Amino acid sequence: MSKVYTHMTMSLDGFIADPQDGIDELFDWYNAGSVSVPTADERWSFSLDEASAELMRDVLAKAGALVCGRRLFDITNGWDDSHPGGAPVVVVTHHTPDDADRWPKTSFADDVESGIARAKELAGDKDISIASADIARQALDLGLVDEVDVSLVPVLMGEGIPYFANLGAAPHRFEDPVVIPGVRATHLRYPVKRD
C-alpha cells in the first residue's frame, strides 16, 4: 500500500540546513560506507553502510512521486528535470516559473493539497515523498502525511532551517519508531498516529 511520507536528514538540534541552505554538516552519511547504491540519474550514487543502503534501496524502489516547494526546486535547478529518485516531481508554488517547459517531467501545483493529489495520480501504487520542510509542515497540519522519517546525524548546528516549525495543528502524535542504526546517521521512521 502506498504512503505519503516526509524524510529529512536532521541535526540533533532539529535543523535540516544551515542559515544559508548549506547541508555539508549533514550529508556525510551518504558517503560513509562501502556499499554502492546507484540512483536513477547516473550523475549521483551513494556509498552507504549496509543498513543505510538497504533503506535507500527500499526508498528508491518505492518512489512514485516527490513533492517539494519552490525554494528547494530553485536551489537544485529542478534537478535538471531528473531527480535522483527517478520519480516525477510536483512543485508547490504560488508562482510557476515562466520557463516551466524547461522541466517537462515536472508538475506545478498552487497549494499543498493539490500538490499531494497530483503526486498520488503520478505515483499510482507507489509512495509519495515530501522533500521540503515547509511543505511537510503544511501537509502534516492538513492530515495528509502517513509517516515522518528522520535521518538523525551526530551534529549540533546551533541555528539553521528547522525540520518542523510553526505547526498550526500541533501536537502531532506518532507511533513508536522503526529504528535503523547506520554509520553517521540513525534512521527513524515514525508512523503518524491516527485517532
Side-chain angles (χ1 to χ4, degrees), residues 49-181:
D49 61 273
E50 187 54 51
S52 298
E54 184 177 337
L55 169 78
M56 188 60 67
R57 285 191 291 264
D58 181 60
V59 166
L60 293 171
K62 293 179 179 176
L66 179 128
V67 180
C68 71
R70 177 68 187 271
R71 182 173 175 216
L72 179 59
F73 181 77
D74 288 346
I75 289 170
T76 63
N77 190 35
W79 297 278
D80 296 323
D81 210 33
S82 182
H83 188 274
V89 174
V90 178
V91 182
V92 177
T93 180
H94 297 297
H95 306 286
T96 300
D98 293 334
D99 59 348
D101 57 342
R102 282 182 47 208
W103 300 279
K105 293 189 263 180
T106 300
S107 300
F108 296 89
D110 295 331
D111 58 44
V112 172
E113 283 184 291
S114 60
I116 298 289
R118 176 66 178 138
K120 286 182 176 183
E121 290 172 13
L122 294 167
D125 62 351
K126 291 192 167 191
D127 292 343
I128 294 103
S129 173
I130 301 172
S132 293
D134 190 54
I135 303 303
R137 176 193 58 80
Q138 292 178 61
L140 192 59
D141 278 345
L142 290 166
L144 301 173
V145 177
D146 300 309
E147 184 177 282
V148 172
D149 295 356
V150 177
S151 291
L152 192 63
V153 298
V155 64
L156 295 170
M157 295 179 64
E159 61 179 343
I161 298 167
Y163 192 171
F164 291 107
N166 305 312
L167 289 163
H172 294 284
R173 292 179 177 83
F174 305 93
E175 302 294 345
D176 291 334
V178 172
V179 180
I180 302 167

Side-chain angles (χ1 to χ4, degrees), residues 16-51:
I16 60 165
D18 68 26
Q20 291 75 43
D21 293 313
I23 55 172
D24 291 343
E25 289 289 336
L26 299 171
F27 280 25
D28 285 349
W29 72 273
Y30 283 113
N31 289 300
S34 60
V35 180
S36 178
V37 178
T39 70
D41 187 319
E42 63 188 30
R43 294 175 294 173
W44 292 292
S45 67
F46 305 111
S47 296
L48 304 169
D49 61 273
E50 187 54 51

